[in-house]
Protein backbone atom coordinates (compact mmCIF):
# COMPACT_ATOMS: atom_id res chain seq x y z
CA UNK A 1 0.00 0.00 0.00
CA UNK A 2 1.68 3.18 -1.13
CA UNK A 3 0.18 6.49 -0.05
CA UNK A 4 1.87 9.83 0.18
CA UNK A 5 0.23 10.71 3.47
CA UNK A 6 0.68 8.19 6.29
CA UNK A 7 -2.31 9.53 8.24
CA UNK A 8 -4.62 7.79 5.77
CA UNK A 9 -3.30 4.37 6.87
CA UNK A 10 -4.71 4.56 10.41
CA UNK A 11 -7.91 2.64 9.60
CA UNK A 12 -6.11 -0.02 7.60
CA UNK A 13 -3.56 -0.43 10.39
CA UNK A 14 -6.27 -0.73 13.04
CA UNK A 15 -8.07 -3.39 11.01
CA UNK A 16 -4.83 -5.27 10.42
CA UNK A 17 -5.00 -5.23 6.64
CA UNK A 18 -1.66 -3.53 6.00
CA UNK A 19 1.16 -5.65 4.68
CA UNK A 20 4.23 -6.23 6.84
CA UNK A 21 6.34 -3.50 5.28
CA UNK A 22 3.51 -0.94 5.35
CA UNK A 23 2.64 -1.82 8.95
CA UNK A 24 6.28 -1.42 9.96
CA UNK A 25 6.49 2.00 8.26
CA UNK A 26 3.22 3.07 9.86
CA UNK A 27 4.39 1.99 13.32
CA UNK A 28 7.43 4.20 12.81
CA UNK A 29 5.03 7.02 11.95
CA UNK A 30 2.95 6.28 15.08
CA UNK A 31 6.00 6.95 17.26
CA UNK A 32 6.14 10.51 15.88
CA UNK A 33 2.44 11.36 15.41
CA UNK A 34 0.23 11.72 18.50
CA UNK A 35 -2.88 12.34 16.37
CA UNK A 36 -2.51 8.97 14.63
CA UNK A 37 -1.93 7.22 17.98
CA UNK A 38 -5.24 8.62 19.26
CA UNK A 39 -7.06 7.59 16.09
CA UNK A 40 -5.49 4.12 16.17
CA UNK A 41 -6.72 3.64 19.79
CA UNK A 42 -10.21 4.80 18.80
CA UNK A 43 -10.33 2.49 15.80
CA UNK A 44 -9.01 -0.45 17.82
CA UNK A 45 -12.43 -0.60 19.51
CA UNK A 46 -14.13 -0.70 16.13
CA UNK A 47 -11.77 -3.44 14.97
CA UNK A 48 -12.56 -5.44 18.11
CA UNK A 49 -16.30 -5.15 17.43
CA UNK A 50 -15.80 -6.21 13.84
CA UNK A 51 -13.76 -9.22 14.97
CA UNK A 52 -16.79 -10.41 16.94
CA UNK A 53 -18.76 -10.50 13.68
CA UNK A 54 -16.19 -12.88 12.20
CA UNK A 55 -12.76 -12.87 10.67
CA UNK A 56 -12.01 -10.98 7.51
CA UNK A 57 -12.28 -13.44 4.66
CA UNK A 58 -9.53 -13.02 2.16
CA UNK A 59 -10.05 -14.60 -1.24
CA UNK A 60 -7.72 -17.44 -2.11
CA UNK A 61 -5.38 -17.56 -5.06
CA UNK A 62 -7.13 -17.65 -8.41
CA UNK A 63 -10.39 -16.21 -7.05
CA UNK A 64 -10.46 -13.41 -9.62
CA UNK A 65 -9.79 -15.86 -12.45
CA UNK A 66 -12.60 -18.17 -11.29
CA UNK A 67 -14.94 -15.21 -10.96
CA UNK A 68 -14.16 -13.95 -14.47
CA UNK A 69 -14.59 -17.48 -15.87
CA UNK A 70 -17.99 -17.84 -14.15
CA UNK A 71 -19.20 -14.53 -15.55
CA UNK A 72 -17.97 -15.43 -19.05
CA UNK A 73 -19.69 -18.83 -18.82
CA UNK A 74 -22.95 -17.18 -17.79
CA UNK A 75 -22.75 -14.78 -20.72
CA UNK A 76 -22.07 -17.65 -23.14
CA UNK A 77 -25.13 -19.54 -21.85
CA UNK A 78 -27.27 -16.42 -22.16
CA UNK A 79 -26.03 -15.95 -25.73
CA UNK A 80 -26.91 -19.56 -26.62
CA UNK A 81 -30.37 -19.14 -25.09
CA UNK A 82 -30.91 -15.97 -27.06
CA UNK A 83 -29.81 -17.70 -30.28
CA UNK A 84 -32.20 -20.61 -29.63
CA UNK A 85 -35.10 -18.21 -29.06
CA UNK A 86 -34.34 -16.32 -32.28
CA UNK A 87 -34.12 -19.61 -34.21
CA UNK A 88 -37.47 -20.76 -32.79
CA UNK A 89 -39.05 -17.43 -33.73
CA UNK A 90 -37.74 -17.72 -37.30
CA UNK A 91 -39.03 -21.29 -37.61
CA UNK A 92 -42.46 -20.24 -36.39
CA UNK A 93 -42.55 -17.14 -38.58
CA UNK A 94 -41.56 -19.04 -41.73
CA UNK A 95 -43.04 -22.47 -41.07
CA UNK A 96 -46.21 -21.46 -39.26
CA UNK A 97 -48.08 -19.98 -42.23
CA UNK A 98 -46.87 -22.84 -44.44
CA UNK A 99 -48.18 -25.42 -41.96
CA UNK A 100 -51.53 -23.63 -41.70
CA UNK A 101 -51.86 -23.36 -45.49
CA UNK A 102 -50.99 -27.04 -45.93
CA UNK A 103 -53.59 -28.22 -43.44
CA UNK A 104 -56.41 -26.02 -44.76
CA UNK A 105 -57.40 -28.61 -47.40
CA UNK A 106 -59.78 -30.11 -44.88
CA UNK A 107 -60.70 -33.78 -44.54
CA UNK A 108 -60.22 -36.21 -47.43
CA UNK A 109 -58.41 -33.91 -49.81
CA UNK A 110 -60.81 -30.95 -49.61
CA UNK A 111 -63.95 -32.60 -51.07
CA UNK A 112 -67.26 -31.73 -49.45
CA UNK A 113 -68.60 -34.46 -47.19
CA UNK A 114 -65.25 -36.14 -46.97
CA UNK A 115 -65.80 -38.22 -50.15
CA UNK A 116 -62.64 -39.10 -51.95
CA UNK A 117 -62.86 -39.77 -55.69
CA UNK A 118 -60.14 -41.84 -57.28
CA UNK A 119 -59.85 -43.01 -60.84
CA UNK A 120 -58.29 -46.24 -61.83
CA UNK A 121 -56.78 -46.31 -65.20
CA UNK A 122 -56.32 -49.73 -66.41
Amino acid sequence: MQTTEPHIRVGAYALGVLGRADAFRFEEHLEECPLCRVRARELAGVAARLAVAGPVVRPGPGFADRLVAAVADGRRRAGRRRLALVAAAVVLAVGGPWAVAGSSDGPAGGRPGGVRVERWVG
Side-chain angles (χ1 to χ4, degrees):
M1 174 179 194
Q2 294 292 327
T3 59
T4 55
E5 189 173 339
H7 305 294
I8 297 173
R9 298 180 185 183
V10 175
Y13 177 78
L15 292 174
V17 296
L18 286 179
R20 286 184 187 174
D22 288 328
F24 180 77
R25 279 188 230 114
F26 186 76
E27 287 169 354
E28 287 178 342
H29 171 75
L30 277 177
E31 292 175 7
E32 302 168 359
C33 183
L35 181 62
C36 285
R37 280 195 301 268
V38 170
R39 286 184 183 162
R41 271 189 239 117
E42 291 172 352
L43 291 174
V46 173
R49 284 188 220 125
L50 289 175
V52 171
V56 174
V57 178
R58 292 192 173 106
F63 176 73
D65 295 332
R66 290 191 309 269
L67 186 60
V68 168
V71 169
D73 187 45
R75 288 184 177 175
R76 272 192 300 274
R77 275 185 275 155
R80 281 188 228 124
R81 252 184 268 127
R82 198 173 309 118
L83 180 63
L85 286 173
V86 168
V90 167
V91 167
L92 288 174
V94 171
W98 181 77
V100 170
S103 67
S104 66
D105 289 343
R111 297 254 182 207
V115 177
R116 177 171 241 158
V117 177
E118 293 183 13
R119 289 189 184 176
W120 289 88
V121 179

